[in-house]
Amino acid sequence: VVVFKEKGAADDGLPFIDVHKSDWFYDYVKYVYEKGLFKGVTPTLFAPEDNLTRAMLVTVLYRAEGSPEMTKPSGFEDVAADTYYAAAVAWAAENGIVNGFTDGRFQPDTLITRQQLAAILYRYDTYRGHTPQGSAALNGYADAASVESWAAEAMSWANGNGLVTGVTPTTLVPNGTATRAQVAVILSRYTDQ
């Protein structure tokens, strides 16, 4: 019997019609999905090329910690208690994993920059009881001076551990955004350490 797969149907192991075994990120998306870190943007769409928001990243890390019960609000005026990410932001703020902006907001729908991603992962690694190690010199990148001072140590650590690598061999693009697929790869690498 020959079985034809419906065009756009989900691949084995994943319910997403936009993630296929031939995609460079397939194994990583499968890993973070099976670990319960990432869900789809809908039951059948992962949206691998969509950029990740600050709320999405914090929610993924919160899930990695088992989604602990939170009783206190996040303290950010732009994080309503009835949002899907409210408990995750409260957890991350309480544990020093995230900071808000100088105006007191968290900006949950703002796209995460590569240097923000590095900083949050660095703080998360510290929260998990690790002493971050494996820093790399960034001066080989033409745009290393674009890394802001608050993110320099974290970017050096993330780069040295192969988490946030160059977009090209000579550029880091610290203010660039990261897609859901790219962050799935980064978190797969991080959890494998």
Side-chain angles (χ1 to χ4, degrees), residues 109-130:
D109 297 324
T110 299
L111 301 180
I112 192 94
T113 66
R114 292 165 50 81
Q115 64 186 346
Q116 288 172 354
L117 173 63
I120 290 171
L121 286 178
Y122 183 81
R123 291 186 209 116
Y124 176 65
D125 196 56
T126 302
Y127 161 79
R128 293 183 66 216
H130 301 149

Side-chain angles (χ1 to χ4, degrees), residues 30-147:
K30 186 173 183 186
Y31 178 86
V32 295
Y33 175 73
E34 289 176 347
K35 295 288 184 190
L37 303 178
F38 270 78
K39 295 179 180 178
V41 296
T42 73
T44 58
L45 292 175
F46 185 77
E49 298 303 321
D50 284 4
N51 287 313
L52 200 77
T53 66
R54 290 170 51 82
M56 287 177 184
L57 177 61
V58 170
T59 300
V60 168
L61 298 178
Y62 179 65
R63 288 180 188 144
E65 293 302 311
S67 303
E69 185 71 29
M70 296 304 300
T71 56
K72 295 188 327 189
S74 68
F76 297 113
E77 62 187 47
D78 60 343
V79 177
D82 61 350
T83 58
Y84 79 88
Y85 51 80
V89 175
W91 164 82
E94 182 176 295
N95 290 292
I97 297 166
V98 296
N99 299 315
F101 289 84
T102 55
D103 63 2
R105 295 180 304 141
F106 179 69
Q107 298 185 13
D109 297 324
T110 299
L111 301 180
I112 192 94
T113 66
R114 292 165 50 81
Q115 64 186 346
Q116 288 172 354
L117 173 63
I120 290 171
L121 286 178
Y122 183 81
R123 291 186 209 116
Y124 176 65
D125 196 56
T126 302
Y127 161 79
R128 293 183 66 216
H130 301 149
T131 301
Q133 298 177 11
S135 296
L138 302 178
N139 56 5
Y141 294 101
D143 58 353
S146 298
V147 176

